[in-house]
Each structure stands twice: as structure tokens, then as C-alpha cells.
């Protein structure tokens, strides 16, 4: 009986993190009859490797542009033609460049006073990355936030957080402001009787 011998897998000769989102792979093929080079990627050394690219066998390098910063990626290659495919190569793993730090400038929130009428203010914050900032209220019984509009619901104290969740280039950032909502003043109206007539052993009423 003939024994099927699988072709040799490609050898990754270099792998380089070019930026926070790009990794360059270079390899040599050891299967002259190959027509295709397949590239597989994983975020775990022994995890599931997903095919991300299929290239003509004459190509010996590839730049992966779909990555996130400060993260390690693992790559394997195989060579194939219409009849047979090599085993996957040994994995290689570079780490992309660290994510850039960003800061958030969050304007002070003035002290407010509760009112039965709706009280709203516009929150103002800016991320150094120019990415959009999201606001949240720590206590929705004191204040709620919709977009950048804060609405007073009750008296008390809460924190308002400004957050930027980051992207492939920037890490997450957040900062907080304390919101103080004072109790509203209240007034009692007390109507005195126009006149009081004394009646012995009698009673009077105040309207």
C-alpha cells in the first residue's frame, strides 16, 4: 500500500508588529506544487485558528491590518493545491504596539436645586483623542442622562461619569464629577381669620 505523504508546511521567517493595528508576516514555502497559501490566526496559542486570508502561492508576505493594540496574535500557515494541503506551520506570535493613552476634560457641574419644574443642563466633556464621550449617572433617582443632557429627578448627591471606550488605537478613559442637588425651599401659607369673637365656654375656628 502507498503511504500518503503530506507536503511540508511553510516556514514563517519573520513576524513584526508594524503598528497598533498591523502585523507583517514573511515566510518561505516548502511545497513547490502549491497554488495557495492559507493564513490562520488566533488570540490563544492553543485556541481555534480561523483562516483570515488565502493568497497565491507565489506570494511570500502579508500585512494583517485588522488588529487591536496591546494584544498578542498567533499565526499559522499551510500550503495547498487542488489535491492536497500541508499541515499548518508552527505558530508565531507578536504583540501589537501598546494602545495610546487618552484623557477626558470634563467641565465642572454647578450645584443645582430641585424643582417641580424640569431642570436640565448640558454636560460638556472632550476626549484628547477626539472620540465621542458617553455620560452616565450613578444614581438615577437623583439625575438621569440622555446623550449630553442631564435632567434633575430628585435632591441629593450622585456622580456623573464621562467615559470614552477606546478604539484599536486608544485605550479606555473615564473621569467623574460630583453632582449636588439641593432641596427646594418650601413655603406654608397660613390664612388668619378676619375677626375673632369671644364666646364664653364656646369654641372658635380659624379659616
Amino acid at each position: 500500500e502507498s503511504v500518503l505523504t503530506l507536503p511540508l508546511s511553510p516556514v514563517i521567517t519573520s513576524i513584526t508588529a508594524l503598528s497598533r493595528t498591523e502585523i507583517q508576516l514573511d515566510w518561505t514555502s516548502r511545497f513547490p506544487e502549491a497554488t495557495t497559501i492559507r493564513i490562520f490566526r488566533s488570540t490563544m496559542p492553543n485556541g481555534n485558528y480561523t483562516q483570515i486570508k488565502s493568497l497565491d502561492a507565489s506570494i511570500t508576505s502579508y500585512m494583517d491590518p485588522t488588529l487591536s493594540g496591546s494584544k498578542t496574535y498567533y499565526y499559522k500557515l499551510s500550503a495547498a493545491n487542488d489535491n492536497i494541503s500541508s499541515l499548518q506551520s508552527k505558530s508565531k506570535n507578536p504583540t501589537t504596539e501598546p494602545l495610546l493613552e487618552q484623557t477626558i476634560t470634563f467641565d465642572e457641574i454647578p450645584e443645582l436645586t430641585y424643582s417641580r419644574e424640569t431642570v436640565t443642563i448640558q454636560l460638556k466633556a472632550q476626549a484628547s483623542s477626539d472620540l465621542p464621550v458617553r455620560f452616565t449617572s450613578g444614581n438615577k433617582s437623583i439625575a438621569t442622562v440622555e446623550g449630553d443632557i442631564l435632567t434633575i429627578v430628585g435632591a441629593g448627591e450622585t456622580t456623573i461619569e464621562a467615559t470614552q471606550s477606546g478604539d484599536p488605537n486608544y485605550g479606555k478613559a473615564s473621569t467623574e464629577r460630583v453632582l449636588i442637588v439641593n432641596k427646594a425651599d418650601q413655603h406654608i401659607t397660613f390664612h388668619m381669620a378676619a375677626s375673632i369673637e369671644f364666646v364664653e365656654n364656646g369654641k372658635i375656628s380659624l379659616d
Side-chain angles (χ1 to χ4, degrees):
E1 294 182 1
S2 61
V3 177
L4 177 64
T5 301
L6 294 176
L8 295 172
S9 59
V11 175
I12 299 175
T13 55
S14 68
I15 187 164
T16 307
L18 301 178
S19 69
R20 296 169 188 84
T21 60
E22 299 170 329
I23 285 176
Q24 173 82 30
L25 293 88
D26 295 278
W27 61 85
T28 58
S29 178
R30 298 185 293 172
F31 180 19
E33 293 78 23
T35 58
T36 303
I37 296 291
R38 297 167 181 161
I39 303 175
F40 301 84
R41 185 181 72 200
S42 175
T43 55
M44 298 290 291
N46 298 316
N48 294 323
Y49 282 76
T50 301
Q51 181 175 323
I52 61 168
K53 197 71 177 178
S54 179
L55 301 170
D56 187 273
S58 63
I59 298 173
T60 59
S61 65
Y62 174 70
M63 190 269 289
D64 187 357
T66 59
L67 309 174
S68 297
S70 298
K71 197 168 185 178
T72 300
Y73 293 89
Y74 299 83
Y75 292 88
K76 291 183 178 183
L77 304 180
S78 71
N81 59 26
D82 291 340
N83 299 313
I84 197 169
S85 175
S86 74
L87 295 174
Q88 293 180 359
S89 65
K90 293 182 179 180
S91 66
K92 296 282 187 176
N93 58 292
T95 300
T96 51
E97 292 182 8
L99 292 171
L100 292 171
E101 292 185 0
Q102 61 172 322
T103 58
I104 297 176
T105 302
F106 191 1
D107 289 2
E108 292 280 356
I109 302 175
E111 281 194 26
L112 301 171
T113 300
Y114 175 75
S115 173
R116 287 187 296 178
E117 298 180 359
T118 301
V119 176
T120 63
I121 61 170
Q122 184 177 24
L123 300 172
K124 295 181 180 180
Q126 176 70 41
S128 59
S129 63
D130 289 330
L131 294 170
V133 174
R134 179 174 177 266
F135 300 99
T136 54
S137 171
N139 188 339
K140 294 182 180 179
S141 67
I142 305 298
T144 60
V145 179
E146 185 72 29
D148 61 355
I149 301 301
L150 179 145
T151 302
I152 299 304
V153 178
E157 184 176 307
T158 186
T159 57
I160 305 299
E161 183 177 34
T163 304
Q164 210 307 301
S165 58
D167 69 0
N169 291 307
Y170 287 91
K172 180 180 178 180
S174 65
T175 188
E176 294 180 345
R177 291 293 186 194
V178 175
L179 169 67
I180 298 174
V181 182
N182 297 310
K183 293 181 179 181
D185 292 332
Q186 62 175 328
H187 304 278
I188 298 175
T189 303
F190 184 35
H191 297 286
M192 294 294 294
S195 61
I196 301 176
E197 182 179 352
F198 177 76
V199 179
E200 187 176 358
N201 296 325
K203 295 182 181 180
I204 60 173
S205 63
L206 300 178
D207 296 323

